[in-house]
Amino acid sequence: MKRCKVCKEKFTPRFSTLQATCEKPSCLIEYSQKVKKKEWAAEKKEWKEKIKPASEWRRELQAVFNTFIRMRDKGTACISCARPLGNKYDAGHYYSVGSYPNLRYHEHNVHGQCVYCNRDKHGNLIAYREGLISRIGLDRLNELDAKSSLPLNITIPEIKEMIQHYRARIKEIKKM
Ligand SMILES: [Zn+2]
Ligand SMILES: [Zn+2]
């Protein structure tokens, strides 16, 4: 016995074990309409993703990436002023998103930063650099400096992959 997905009454499937509804015409019709609607929504989603411009993919990646940074640095101190971050803080970029697009998703370039340093002090960059030296070390910072002049070369498939990657890491942190 199975339960009809529309009227919720019990029925014995006659055609296949996958039969979702009883044989009442009203149930059959309602169910097939629901399936069509679902298929249409899936198609629409696929189509929308296909025509989604790179800029929108990048925006989506930036949002996921920033969430990851905030979660990674939760409970630590502001990269610039070393005060405890507390609950409200930003993902602050050392090399700014606007001027250095190729470092906007670089984990060494983005750290938890208090709102005061990030917004009021425009990144508090001199202190940020000192914070970076103690957090990631001078070698990695030099690497970052060297990369800062390169252009952003990232394809949509690469962006999609990075979105998946950071979603997975966010999930991992949530499990801890
Ligand atoms: Zn039914
Ligand atoms: Zn600060």
Side-chain angles (χ1 to χ4, degrees):
M1 293 285 265
K2 287 182 74 174
R3 208 170 273 280
C4 171
K5 288 217 165 129
V6 178
C7 69
K8 311 293 177 207
E9 275 168 33
K10 283 185 177 165
F11 71 95
T12 310
R14 274 207 306 160
F15 310 115
S16 95
T17 49
L18 295 174
Q19 199 180 323
T21 70
C22 69
E23 286 168 48
K24 281 201 289 281
S26 56
C27 288
L28 288 170
I29 291 168
E30 197 180 320
Y31 188 70
S32 81
Q33 280 170 346
K34 245 192 218 164
V35 169
K36 258 190 217 141
K37 243 190 183 165
K38 245 195 194 164
E39 280 171 358
W40 193 71
E43 221 172 86
K44 207 167 107 182
K45 196 180 162 214
E46 206 185 289
W47 184 73
K48 257 185 155 171
E49 294 220 330
K50 262 190 205 143
I51 60 159
K52 193 149 121 181
S55 61
E56 222 166 288
W57 282 112
R58 282 201 293 268
R59 226 190 330 263
E60 194 174 326
L61 172 57
Q62 190 78 73
V64 175
F65 179 76
N66 287 1
T67 301
F68 164 75
I69 295 294
R70 277 195 300 269
M71 289 177 82
R72 183 197 66 187
D73 292 352
K74 195 177 172 197
T76 63
C78 170
I79 188 77
S80 297
C81 69
R83 274 191 284 259
L85 283 176
N87 289 324
K88 198 173 172 282
Y89 55 97
D90 294 329
H93 288 68
Y94 178 61
Y95 282 107
S96 72
V97 172
S99 306
Y100 304 92
N102 64 312
L103 293 177
R104 59 195 285 178
Y105 321 113
H106 196 299
E107 284 178 37
H108 293 152
N109 186 44
V110 195
H111 296 266
Q113 193 174 41
C114 75
V115 173
Y116 172 71
C117 283
N118 188 39
R119 301 182 202 179
D120 300 345
K121 297 207 77 180
H122 307 289
N124 197 358
L125 293 178
I126 293 169
Y128 199 141
R129 191 167 183 89
E130 274 162 35
L132 276 177
I133 292 171
S134 63
R135 186 100 39 116
I136 66 172
L138 196 57
D139 287 349
R140 287 194 183 124
L141 180 55
N142 287 337
E143 250 171 60
L144 204 61
D145 292 338
K147 278 183 187 162
S148 67
S149 57
L150 302 173
L152 175 69
N153 266 327
I154 189 170
T155 63
I156 290 178
E158 282 167 342
I159 296 176
K160 283 185 187 173
E161 215 169 277
M162 284 177 80
I163 291 173
Q164 296 303 328
H165 171 81
Y166 283 110
R167 279 204 184 125
R169 288 179 70 186
I170 287 169
K171 249 191 197 164
E172 255 169 51
I173 295 177
K174 276 185 181 161
K175 267 193 259 166
M176 289 195 309

